[in-house]
């Protein structure tokens, strides 16, 4: 079964930076076969899609709220997804999750990590 483990969150001042990681394992096929997502949830709010990256890393997309400040990347040799977050704002405070959709047994299954907390505060 697919397992996703995020790390790299923490407390940072406005304007600061963090690099989040998501270590993936358990794929039936290669990690590089899957588009990966970053999703966040701010306190008291719903889930917000942040970014995605195709399996080969060729195409990336970003929510308007993070465009120009966040950069998604992946190292397929290490089965790891990254999110470089710069110029952090208090409104970026959230739990950040990596997410993937996998086709299994004729169904699409959603896999989530446990999340990593990012808190932006002075």
């Amino acid at each position: 079964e697919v397992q996703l483990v995020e790390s790299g969150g923490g407390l940072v001042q406005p304007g600061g930076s963090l690099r989040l990681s998501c270590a993936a394992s358990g794929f039936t096929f290669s990690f590089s076969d899957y588009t990966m997502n970053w999703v966040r949830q701010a306190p008291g709010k719903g889930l917000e899609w942040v970014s995605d990256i195709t399996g080969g890393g060729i195409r990336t997309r970003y929510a308007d709220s993070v465009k120009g400040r966040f950069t998604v990347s992946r190292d397929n040799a290490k089965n790891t997804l990254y999110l470089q977050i710069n110029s952090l704002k208090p409104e970026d405070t959230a739990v950040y999750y990596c997410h993937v959709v996998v086709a299994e047994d004729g169904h699409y299954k959603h896999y989530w990590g446990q999340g990593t907390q990012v808190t932006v505060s002075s």
Side-chain angles (χ1 to χ4, degrees):
E1 179 166 297
V2 173
Q3 291 191 326
L4 304 172
V5 180
E6 301 94 336
S7 61
L11 173 63
V12 63
Q13 292 186 340
S17 299
L18 284 173
R19 189 193 197 200
L20 309 184
S21 299
C22 171
S25 63
F27 288 97
T28 300
F29 300 105
S30 172
F31 175 67
S32 63
D33 287 330
Y34 299 96
T35 293
M36 298 294 296
N37 302 282
W38 284 102
V39 178
R40 68 184 181 183
Q41 186 168 30
K45 296 188 177 181
L47 294 172
E48 177 190 16
W49 172 81
V50 172
S51 178
D52 65 20
I53 182 169
T54 51
I58 299 302
R59 192 204 73 191
T60 58
R61 298 188 301 173
Y62 300 92
D64 288 342
S65 57
V66 307
K67 203 171 292 184
R69 300 186 299 120
F70 289 18
T71 303
V72 64
S73 63
R74 64 194 296 161
D75 184 338
N76 287 337
K78 296 181 178 179
N79 283 12
T80 302
L81 174 72
Y82 301 101
L83 187 67
Q84 178 68 41
I85 48 180
N86 298 327
S87 303
L88 278 160
K89 305 175 181 180
E91 52 263 42
D92 294 319
T93 295
V95 179
Y96 285 72
Y97 300 93
C98 59
H99 166 261
V100 65
V101 180
V102 176
E104 292 181 353
D105 300 324
H107 298 86
Y108 289 104
K109 290 191 68 174
H110 292 253
Y111 290 97
W112 299 83
Q114 84 289 350
T116 187
Q117 175 72 50
V118 172
T119 302
V120 184
S121 175
S122 54

